[in-house]
Amino acid sequence: MQPPLAHCTVLLNEAVQALHVQADGRYIDATFGRGGHARAILARLSAAGRLAVYDKDPQAIAAAQQLAASDARLHAVHHQGFAALAEQPEASADGILMDLGVSSPQLDDPTRGFSFRHDGPLDMRMDPTRGQSAAEWLATAEVTEIAEVIREYGEERFAQSIAKALDRRRQERGPIGTTAELAQIVAGAVKTRQPGKDPATRTFQAIRIFINAELEELQHALKAALRVLKPGGWLVVISFHSLEDRLVKQFMAQHAKDAYDRRQPLAAPKALALAQVQRVLPSAAEVAANPRARSAVLRLAQRSALAWEALP
């Protein structure tokens, strides 16, 4: 039997500090993963404090349920993506944490199909019990759609060449079924490589984001967080690539930045939903100890007292 796959929670202390945990507060870990952040939040809660968690991954949910069985403060475990935050009552949470990274057990488990470093079935679903796998999508998608996905979600300049190579492979030998096959095809289509970076990195990222509708779900979750947070509550989001970080940055700026209307120079400034927007990066020591932390960006903001109905 293989030993359990280790997971090192990125920005653990910084994220929990950013939540400004109150002992009797109510918190939501919208991406439980393997529970690193959740356990750190629970360690700061009193017997009256409460934590709810979300995750798409059945293995993560199993770990969360096991933790909940021994700790009543973890009062709700939701096998759902964080867009389901919209189902929470308005102004009910003192803090919401979203860690947008793929966990090490997911990356390192060949059966999940997330990594080009380990050969396995080409799946890439956060929840392998629902939806279309990467292999199923690649078997039927048009070349133009494949190219668009790789270009937009992977920011890959060789997207068209990769899409055509994938199509040729389908025509000649049938569907692409494994991560090693996909990585090999991409490597043959990418003309130049960044030093120290596998040529398949951007393509794997793009397909994973598309298959799991990650950016669309993030947009829904951020909007829901504004409704669910109490006045004074904190929103904390950890991103790992530029596309999702850009979304978070723009969202927080949109709801925290004064907009000057030149047509009404004497008008009162509009009320804002967020304040105290900040950015935190991992320390050099953390990056040295855990290279997967190098691209992490934590952004936090505090919910104002502006009523949900008054939001633009």
Side-chain angles (χ1 to χ4, degrees), residues 17-97:
Q17 288 171 4
L19 282 173
H20 298 75
V21 176
Q22 304 169 39
D24 295 344
R26 302 181 73 87
Y27 294 88
I28 298 173
D29 182 350
T31 47
F32 179 81
R34 293 304 179 266
H37 288 123
R39 289 181 176 85
I41 294 168
L42 288 169
R44 289 161 173 78
L45 293 180
S46 69
R50 290 294 181 266
L51 175 66
V53 301
Y54 288 78
D55 210 293
K56 288 182 176 181
D57 187 340
Q59 294 178 2
I61 290 301
Q65 290 172 336
Q66 185 176 13
L67 179 59
S70 62
D71 194 330
R73 296 171 302 168
L74 205 177
H75 72 107
V77 176
H78 302 278
H79 185 193
Q80 295 171 288
F82 48 47
L85 283 172
E87 300 171 5
Q88 291 285 336
E90 184 177 335
S92 61
D94 294 291
I96 297 173
L97 172 63

Side-chain angles (χ1 to χ4, degrees), residues 65-237:
Q65 290 172 336
Q66 185 176 13
L67 179 59
S70 62
D71 194 330
R73 296 171 302 168
L74 205 177
H75 72 107
V77 176
H78 302 278
H79 185 193
Q80 295 171 288
F82 48 47
L85 283 172
E87 300 171 5
Q88 291 285 336
E90 184 177 335
S92 61
D94 294 291
I96 297 173
L97 172 63
M98 303 178 193
D99 178 348
L100 308 180
V102 181
S103 71
S104 294
Q106 289 172 321
L107 285 171
D108 296 336
D109 182 352
T111 67
R112 301 301 301 273
F114 286 111
S115 176
F116 45 79
R117 301 186 190 282
H118 310 283
D119 191 21
L122 189 57
D123 195 311
M124 295 197 192
R125 289 172 293 176
M126 293 294 181
D127 183 354
T129 68
R130 303 171 185 170
Q132 188 179 45
S133 71
E136 290 168 339
W137 175 68
L138 282 173
T140 59
E142 297 289 339
V143 174
T144 52
E145 183 186 13
I146 296 173
E148 183 180 2
V149 165
I150 295 173
R151 183 182 303 110
E152 290 192 8
Y153 296 144
E155 299 177 297
E156 172 61 77
R157 60 191 173 119
F158 298 113
Q160 190 66 33
S161 298
I162 294 168
K164 288 180 178 178
L166 292 170
D167 185 51
R168 283 196 300 272
R169 164 63 172 75
R170 293 187 305 189
Q171 300 297 329
E172 294 170 1
R173 297 170 53 191
I176 301 155
T178 70
T179 54
E181 288 179 286
L182 176 58
Q184 184 178 25
I185 296 165
V186 173
V190 173
K191 298 178 177 62
T192 59
R193 307 182 184 194
Q194 291 178 257
K197 194 168 188 177
D198 191 286
T201 301
R202 293 178 181 274
T203 297
F204 270 69
Q205 171 188 296
I207 295 174
R208 190 203 76 224
I209 290 172
F210 173 77
I211 289 297
N212 295 287
E214 292 178 23
L215 299 184
E216 294 85 352
E217 182 163 23
L218 176 58
Q219 289 175 318
H220 290 304
L222 291 171
K223 184 176 180 181
L226 288 187
R227 190 183 66 80
V228 174
L229 280 170
K230 297 178 182 178
W234 291 87
L235 173 62
V236 179
V237 186

